[in-house]
Amino acid sequence: MADCIFCKIVKGEIPSTKVFEDEEIIAFNDINPKAKVHILVVLKKHVESVKDLEEADKELAGELIMVAKEIAKEKNLLGYKIVINVGKEGGQLVDHLHLHLLSGDVKLAV
């Protein structure tokens, strides 16, 4: 997706403050944080939303949560929230599958 902001971040066309990266996933600080810690965990593969996942993506989707868990552990977060918005009606602003890892004074809307 040529105009997808997360695809541009994955390609290095837009800078980000990375906190994790491997071959399938990248994680970076949200530029508009809704909590003291607000990290976006993003698939490198362009999948628009949870509703667009296919059976073959099952392991990859699980990796999003496992990466969020590992980041939380590395940052010594005692408690945190993981949020996945689905579709515009569900609050999804970027049509590229990602989750929000939030901790500390979390504002409800993300």
Side-chain angles (χ1 to χ4, degrees):
M1 302 299 290
D3 61 341
C4 174
I5 190 167
F6 288 168
C7 287
K8 289 179 179 181
I9 290 170
V10 167
K11 292 177 187 173
E13 296 171 3
I14 295 176
S16 65
T17 307
K18 293 179 197 171
V19 297
F20 175 88
E21 183 172 18
D22 68 12
E23 291 183 13
E24 299 176 325
I25 296 173
I26 187 170
F28 49 89
N29 290 322
D30 194 306
I31 61 170
N32 187 22
K34 304 294 185 203
K36 184 176 178 184
V37 174
H38 188 167
I39 298 169
L40 301 176
V41 183
V42 179
L43 290 181
K44 287 186 171 182
K45 173 183 176 181
H46 185 86
V47 175
E48 286 197 12
S49 181
V50 168
K51 62 186 174 186
D52 299 302
L53 286 169
E54 297 179 6
E55 188 67 26
D57 298 319
K58 187 186 314 187
E59 188 173 321
L60 187 57
E63 276 299 307
L64 276 176
I65 294 172
M66 296 307 291
V67 166
K69 175 186 169 191
E70 187 59 34
I71 293 169
K73 181 179 178 183
E74 288 174 8
K75 293 195 167 289
N76 296 313
L77 302 180
L78 298 177
Y80 53 94
K81 181 184 282 195
I82 293 174
V83 176
I84 301 175
N85 298 320
V86 181
K88 294 199 185 323
E89 295 81 6
Q92 185 176 0
L93 299 177
V94 178
D95 290 333
H96 187 123
L97 182 58
H98 63 285
L99 66 76
H100 300 259
L101 171 64
L102 303 119
S103 184
D105 193 30
V106 176
K107 297 176 181 98
L108 293 178
V110 293

